[in-house]
Amino acid sequence: MGKINFKNYGHQKNWISGSYFDSISTEKISVVSPYFDKEIATVSDSNIKDLNFAVEKSKSIFPYWSRLNVRDRAEVMFQLKSILEKNMDELAYLIALDNGKTVQDAKGSILRGKEVVEFATSLPSLLNGESSQVADGITCTLSYEPIGVVAGITPFNFPAMVPLWMIPLAITTGNCFILKPSEQTPLSALKIAEYLKEAGLPDDVFQVINGSRDIVEGICDHTDIKAVAFVGSSKIAKTVYSRSTSLGKRALCLGGAKNHMIVVPDADLDSTAKGLLASSMGSAGQRCMAASVAVGVANIDPIIQQLVKEANEFKLGVDMGTIISKGAFHRITKFIDEAEKMGADILIDGRNMTPPKDYENGYWLGVTILDNVNPDWSCAQEEIFGPVLSIIRTESLEQAMKIENGNAYGNAAAVFTTSGEIAKTISENASAGMIGINIGVPVPREPYSFGGWNESKYGHGDITGKSGVHFWTNLKKVTARWPESEEPWKKYF
Ligand code: NAD
């Protein structure tokens, strides 16, 4: 593992007007490293006055930023890309420290975020609109216009990647962006603020307000914030969506997930076992793309045996980081305890693992694989958000499909098979926004957009790709007719 050392970074201020800025609030939130179970920093539990101030600042720069040509705005993204590459180690370290990921895993997440930055550099060609003559002497021009001051609210599990889903497209399209990062993992968002300044972003185009519920509600209610993007649990996503849209603002709120991998006996043994393991255990299962249910069709025993063999070689702290908090640790182990009580076969038990040396107080939970799980049990129904894979055995594809379709969420689904016909059937019938065929984590690469269905998303469209560009812009259509004269240039010459 890249070595993580304990250090207290002290109080981290908000980021307003291009520099660190004290909150009006004296309330503080403790940021605890899951590697050490110790405070590594504090952030302000900011109040509405802080938010109002940030909004006023953003409003003051909006006329300039929104009218700047898109090539100059995109230039900031070219610079940001290089800065992210240059500072990859620094940013990955901060992500690992407050989130509990391994440094390697953190780097992978930065690369994914950087893809959106790269996509944003292409906006000068994507935002060039359309223009044509629609009738004799009449032209119609369509352009993508920024909305105004907009905001993003992000979760703990990808402290840099999820903000990077939003920031590049929101600001390159000409908006001013206010970020409320997760109070559990705020360090990397502030670092991104520094990088944006270094990239040449004018002060006030991007602000970070630390805090919790009050700031989220303030963002939903503020009449000068015109659009809200949210990523987090479904319960809060739904609330943020309805509260924001009730005031007429645009909202896109991505929620939780319960993703299924359908495994057919004809699937390739090695790559399927690896795919199941990577999908369910990557980021210690704390990602919305984690497939936490494997639905076996008929006899998939050889694949499960291979999975268990590979999983037994997984090393805590090397292949997998920690759980985010003590509370989350207990919530996850409760799912395992319950499944055990109900009669699940525990093929691998991650409870009571020996922690890696030097991190004895960390929130470590090992790979857990539960077999012969009943589709009605809580571990098969609810989002666990931990390194727990439940295996459900079925007799037919129809039964497997019914289980996938029956779940309320719809972020992703995957199928492992060598049959094109089966793959086609599953991808056509799965009720999810992102489908993997022999890929356990089917995150679309840019410019294909990221977003789920059903209870995994409230709002229309997706957060990245062209769909993200549409979310952060208004379409303007100008229809023009100019007085005609026979030879207009003659009056000048
Ligand atoms: P969370 O919902 O607890 O928090 C997300 C944000 O909402 C944070 O900024 C937090 O401060 C704020 N918040 C929390 N409680 C609130 C309340 N009562 N009122 C107003 N705001 C509140 O989510 P989390 O635990 O940080 O992240 C994990 C969740 O995020 C999982 O459910 C996961 O599936 C989901 N997630 C989804 C995606 C996706 O693309 N669909 C991506 C990443 C994470």
Side-chain angles (χ1 to χ4, degrees), residues 153-157 165 180-183 213 216 230-233 236 254-257 288 383 385 411 450 456:
I153 301 155
T154 53
F156 81 81
N157 65 328
W165 283 352
K180 203 302 277 175
S182 167
E183 60 274 44
R213 184 176 177 159
V216 174
F230 172 94
V231 178
S233 58
I236 313 295
L254 275 55
C288 65
E383 182 177 46
F385 228 54
N411 219 36
F450 186 102
S456 292

Side-chain angles (χ1 to χ4, degrees), residues 28-243:
K28 287 183 178 164
I29 302 171
S30 179
V31 182
V32 172
S33 172
Y35 274 103
F36 304 104
D37 185 30
K38 269 193 191 163
E39 182 176 288
I40 47 161
T42 56
V43 289
S44 295
D45 198 1
S46 306
N47 68 27
I48 292 301
K49 286 184 183 158
D50 293 305
L51 180 66
N52 291 346
F53 183 63
V55 172
E56 285 311 310
K57 287 289 183 183
S58 304
K59 273 170 66 184
S60 68
I61 191 83
F62 179 71
Y64 164 74
W65 182 245
S66 58
R67 284 180 205 141
L68 193 67
N69 71 74
V70 64
R71 287 168 64 89
D72 285 348
R73 295 197 303 250
E75 176 58 26
V76 175
M77 291 300 123
F78 277 107
Q79 298 303 325
L80 180 63
K81 169 180 152 58
S82 313
I83 293 167
L84 284 171
E85 285 161 357
K86 192 176 71 191
N87 295 292
M88 182 76 74
D89 288 345
E90 175 187 55
L91 189 60
Y93 184 86
L94 287 179
I95 294 170
L97 182 67
D98 67 9
N99 172 282
K101 283 184 199 299
T102 63
V103 172
Q104 199 54 28
D105 199 6
K107 280 188 183 167
S109 73
I110 299 169
L111 290 176
R112 279 300 163 92
K114 189 167 73 76
E115 275 184 28
V116 186
V117 176
E118 287 159 0
F119 175 59
T121 63
S122 69
L123 288 189
S125 56
L126 269 183
L127 285 189
N128 62 6
E130 294 163 25
S131 183
S132 61
Q133 188 168 346
V134 290
D136 284 349
I138 297 183
T139 54
C140 208
T141 306
L142 175 148
S143 59
Y144 296 86
E145 302 294 325
I147 308 169
V149 179
V150 299
I153 301 155
T154 53
F156 81 81
N157 65 328
F158 285 99
M161 184 187 82
V162 172
L164 287 173
W165 283 352
M166 302 173 183
I167 301 163
L169 299 182
I171 64 179
T172 311
T173 50
N175 300 288
C176 296
F177 189 90
I178 297 175
L179 175 67
K180 203 302 277 175
S182 167
E183 60 274 44
Q184 296 183 90
T185 55
L187 300 184
S188 41
L190 292 165
K191 199 43 89 180
I192 289 172
E194 289 180 22
Y195 296 162
L196 281 164
K197 184 172 174 107
E198 188 185 337
L201 188 73
D203 295 349
D204 293 320
V205 175
F206 177 72
Q207 333 257 18
V208 181
I209 304 278
N210 290 300
S212 51
R213 184 176 177 159
D214 283 355
I215 295 300
V216 174
E217 292 178 351
I219 287 172
C220 298
D221 296 347
H222 202 302
T223 48
D224 285 331
I225 295 179
K226 303 295 179 195
V228 178
F230 172 94
V231 178
S233 58
S234 287
K235 186 171 160 234
I236 313 295
K238 198 171 182 174
T239 309
V240 168
Y241 181 77
S242 49
R243 195 159 174 156

Side-chain angles (χ1 to χ4, degrees), residues 338-368:
E338 264 176 38
E340 185 176 34
K341 238 185 263 158
M342 299 300 280
D345 295 324
I346 304 189
L347 304 185
I348 302 185
D349 191 344
R351 295 168 293 184
N352 305 315
M353 299 292 289
T354 309
K357 190 172 163 301
D358 298 333
Y359 306 101
E360 285 76 11
N361 293 329
Y363 313 135
W364 300 100
L365 182 62
V367 169
T368 300

Side-chain angles (χ1 to χ4, degrees), residues 258-298:
K258 188 75 182 173
N259 306 319
H260 295 70
M261 295 179 284
I262 295 172
V263 186
V264 183
D266 70 359
D268 177 72
L269 187 81
D270 278 339
S271 61
T272 302
K274 283 193 172 66
L276 295 179
L277 194 61
S279 177
S280 52
M281 304 300 156
S283 297
Q286 300 167 109
R287 61 180 171 195
C288 65
M289 293 300 279
S292 66
V293 180
V295 188
V297 180

